[in-house]
Amino acid sequence: MTRTDVTGAEVTGADGVATVRVRAAYARLREVDRPEVWTLLLPEADALAAAADVDARLARGEDLPLAGRTLAVKDNVDVAGLPTTAGCPSYATDPRGRPGAAPRTAPAVQALVDAGGVVLGKTNLDQFATGLVGTRSPYGAVRHAWLDGRVSGGSSSGSAVAVALGVADVGVGTDTAGSGRVPAAFHGIVGIKSTVGLVPTAGVVPACPSYDVVTTFTRDLVTGVLATRLMAAARDDGTGRAWPTDVRVGLPDRPVVAVPRPEDLTPLVPAWRDAFAAAVARVRGTGAVVVEVDVSGMLRAARLLYDGAIVAERYAAVGEFLATSPPDADPTVASIVLAGGDVSAPDYVRDRMGLDAARADAERVLAGCDLLLLPTTVEHPTIVEVEAEPVEVNRRLGTYTNFVNLLDLAAVAVPAGEADGGPFGVTVLARAFDDQLAVDLAARLLDEGGAGDARHGPLLVPGTVELLVVGAHLRGQPLNGRLTDLGARFERDVVTSDAYRLVALPTTPARPGLVRVGPGAGAHIAGEVWRLSTGALGRFLAALPAPMYLGPVELTDGEWVVGFGCSPEAAAGAHDVTATGGWRAALALR
């Protein structure tokens, strides 16, 4: 019997898809020989046992969307039975010095395991998730996946490199200042940092608790969105933030995308400035309207994360531990965190108020824009350069990342070509809970659409509904904007069953009425299915004028969807256009 695994590769023999994938992962591990990527690597036999369990679940008929995908988990995120060191081995020991183990897997990771993912081990990081370079660890500096001598980026260094090397399918990271985006840019992979609070942070060693986000690294957008969607659904402790009921789920065909003014791009090295200009041109090529905006206020807000009183949150997280001067503490990390212990309460309140003002200013700057496109970072330094100037180089790398969580923005980092001998990346930023819009533009940049219209990316938002339209709300028709303003996304062209008549109602603008008359008594009518959130559908229905209503409509394949209907009384005196087969055809004959 011949089967295919999740990557599409042919699988033969007795092994299941998960077992085959895990064997391949360990073969790749031996091939690349990069021990500094890991703080703890599971024995192959243990991972194969987990894979066999996944294969058994598949055989029982379980739906496992991540079946066979391998996971590399940043070592500040708990995995049951394994120590969580946060890049500091002594942090994971109890008072007697015995290795400690997490009693429970973090809900975000457990969601991936429940979906069929197999954990390979825990990955190296900038200690206590403090850094963007990947060198601040007693486990060793994590080198770039293939550019010898250059940094991997941090703090989620090991997870990103494991994915870039083809060992792991999903790298779990965290992002407070850019840790889920900078390594993605350096390696030409996808990094998704969702809205703050959307993915539960239970079981994560905090860096700045108010701004920490659990993130994903993947080699493609579809896998990253799937993993992020699963993690966001894992909230089991009553904390965090849920999707709004009226969340937007589709980017307009011609979105307005903001980009920085030339003077806001001066931190970029020249080759990267040229690469960003090419990325902006590509955005225009997708049909977007590009406008320059002043992002200097956002760049100033970025400094509050480390240079202001917000650093007190880092001290609150691990400061008391580092104050004991553990021998394996990274000196740069310790100096940053311990400085937070000197912050006064008034200073902290002042800077939090400053962030409130910065958020309001950012909203003003982005008014009328759907998204903001930025270079992910400014340069790609060498390990030697970081060793010479560990703080200053790190600060530069966070120029376009440090403010994002502070200002409550979502982000999708994607590859955008090459510059200076290595990958170059951009980040699509969106307002809180507009994550789907960022995914959609990322998909257009990567030519990696989801199901249905290639203008949209894979669906990140859960709990959406389909709506059939057959008239003035069709694409190109005068009321279509009422759908796109609600953040609806086009799904597919459809045809109804032959149980419907179509009439032209005497309205302004002209619109049809769809009337059910029974199987075989009508004709097949062309329409479109759109997807939108439940709250958006409610708003749409509340504004629906008589004699229109929403109800179940049967499609030609037997599926029933919510769609427009018209009362028989209103249709009785209207002009019958059923024979045209659809509203566009009817308009063409008028």
Side-chain angles (χ1 to χ4, degrees):
M1 177 180 179
T2 300
R3 308 180 305 282
T4 58
D5 68 10
V6 293
T7 68
E10 187 176 284
V11 177
T12 58
D15 286 342
V17 293
T19 299
V20 169
R21 182 67 191 93
V22 168
R23 288 193 193 281
Y26 277 85
R28 180 63 178 156
L29 273 166
R30 290 185 286 271
E31 180 183 357
V32 297
D33 190 24
R34 293 292 297 275
E36 87 277 9
V37 168
W38 308 89
T39 61
L40 186 152
L41 183 63
L42 287 174
E44 184 172 0
D46 291 356
L48 285 172
D53 180 65
V54 171
D55 288 329
R57 293 167 62 195
L58 282 173
R60 292 194 297 268
E62 289 190 41
D63 180 19
L64 301 177
L66 286 182
R69 309 293 176 100
T70 50
L71 312 176
V73 181
K74 185 176 181 178
D75 197 11
N76 61 340
V77 182
D78 286 347
V79 173
L82 305 181
T84 301
T85 72
C88 185
S90 61
Y91 183 74
T93 59
D94 66 19
R96 297 182 181 180
R98 298 176 302 191
R104 179 172 179 260
T105 298
V109 175
Q110 188 62 53
L112 304 181
V113 173
D114 291 344
V118 177
V119 174
L120 300 179
K122 305 293 288 293
T123 56
N124 203 354
L125 66 152
D126 280 324
Q127 194 172 79
F128 294 112
T130 303
L132 294 173
V133 289
T135 64
R136 300 171 174 177
S137 171
Y139 292 96
V142 180
R143 296 169 289 137
H144 189 273
W146 59 84
L147 296 175
D148 195 40
R150 293 203 191 184
V151 298
S152 58
S155 62
S156 308
S157 51
S159 291
V161 172
V163 169
L165 288 172
V167 174
D169 297 305
V170 179
V172 176
T174 62
D175 186 310
T176 306
S179 300
R181 291 163 278 153
V182 170
F186 286 164
H187 288 93
I189 58 178
V190 175
I192 298 180
K193 186 216 73 70
S194 56
T195 293
V196 176
L198 197 58
V199 175
T201 55
V204 177
V205 177
C208 285
S210 299
Y211 308 107
D212 296 339
V213 177
V214 181
T215 67
T216 60
F217 297 102
T218 53
R219 291 183 293 278
D220 62 272
L221 183 65
V222 171
T223 304
V225 169
L226 172 60
T228 303
R229 179 173 175 164
L230 290 166
M231 294 195 307
R235 190 176 298 101
D236 66 349
D237 57 0
T239 62
R241 303 159 79 184
W243 293 105
T245 58
D246 62 348
V247 61
R248 296 199 287 174
V249 299
L251 186 67
D253 278 350
R254 287 185 58 79
V256 180
V257 179
V259 300
R261 307 168 302 166
E263 53 265 49
D264 296 325
L265 296 171
T266 54
L268 288 169
V269 297
W272 286 42
R273 200 171 304 137
D274 293 341
F276 183 67
V280 172
R282 181 162 174 76
V283 169
R284 284 196 181 94
T286 69
V289 177
V290 174
V291 298
E292 291 184 358
V293 299
D294 179 358
V295 300
S296 60
M298 302 180 201
L299 303 186
R300 287 193 298 272
R303 300 172 193 156
L304 292 174
L305 189 60
Y306 283 106
D307 298 338
I310 305 300
V311 74
E313 291 208 14
R314 292 190 181 271
Y315 185 86
V318 295
E320 290 185 1
F321 170 77
L322 287 172
T324 65
S325 300
D328 49 358
D330 180 88
T332 301
V333 171
S335 65
I336 292 169
V337 174
L338 293 176
D342 298 326
V343 172
S344 69
D347 286 343
Y348 180 75
V349 172
R350 179 202 64 215
D351 279 1
R352 290 296 295 253
M353 293 174 64
L355 283 178
D356 290 340
R359 289 189 197 100
D361 181 66
E363 186 58 38
R364 177 189 59 79
V365 169
L366 296 177
C369 299
D370 295 295
L371 298 165
L372 171 63
L373 184 80
L374 292 176
T376 301
T377 188
V378 301
E379 62 185 289
H380 193 173
T382 65
I383 293 175
V384 171
E385 288 169 335
V386 170
E387 289 173 345
E389 293 184 296
V391 174
E392 181 54 34
V393 172
N394 193 93
R395 180 181 284 113
R396 292 200 301 269
L397 294 181
T399 299
Y400 298 111
T401 60
N402 282 2
F403 68 83
V404 173
N405 291 12
L406 298 180
L407 300 188
D408 202 14
L409 301 172
V412 179
V414 294
E418 295 187 355
D420 195 24
F424 172 78
V426 296
T427 298
V428 184
L429 300 179
R431 295 173 181 84
F433 301 112
D434 272 351
D435 304 55
Q436 186 66 57
L437 307 192
V439 168
D440 286 352
L441 183 58
R444 295 177 193 181
L445 291 173
L446 297 172
D447 290 327
E448 201 182 313
D453 187 5
R455 301 294 291 170
H456 296 296
L459 190 62
L460 176 62
V461 178
T464 56
V465 293
E466 291 186 333
L467 173 67
L468 170 71
V469 298
V470 295
H473 293 88
L474 294 165
R475 289 178 295 172
Q477 297 301 306
L479 299 184
N480 182 251
R482 295 186 181 178
L483 282 174
T484 56
D485 287 348
L486 290 170
R489 62 191 269 152
F490 171 79
E491 287 281 296
R492 62 193 186 277
D493 292 303
V494 295
V495 177
T496 71
S497 72
D498 60 2
Y500 297 91
R501 288 175 51 224
L502 192 70
V503 298
L505 299 171
T507 59
T508 303
R511 67 179 72 184
L514 187 70
V515 183
R516 183 171 175 85
V517 293
H524 299 289
I525 305 299
E528 296 172 354
V529 168
W530 288 69
R531 184 174 296 279
L532 66 170
S533 58
T534 55
L537 180 62
R539 289 167 56 191
F540 184 81
L541 178 59
L544 196 63
M548 313 303 295
Y549 65 87
L550 294 182
V553 178
E554 184 184 21
L555 302 182
T556 189
D557 61 1
E559 180 186 0
W560 289 81
V561 297
V562 174
F564 276 91
C566 174
S567 67
E569 294 82 2
H575 177 58
D576 193 305
V577 294
T578 305
T580 65
W583 186 237
R584 287 195 182 95
L587 290 176
L589 293 175
R590 292 181 66 175

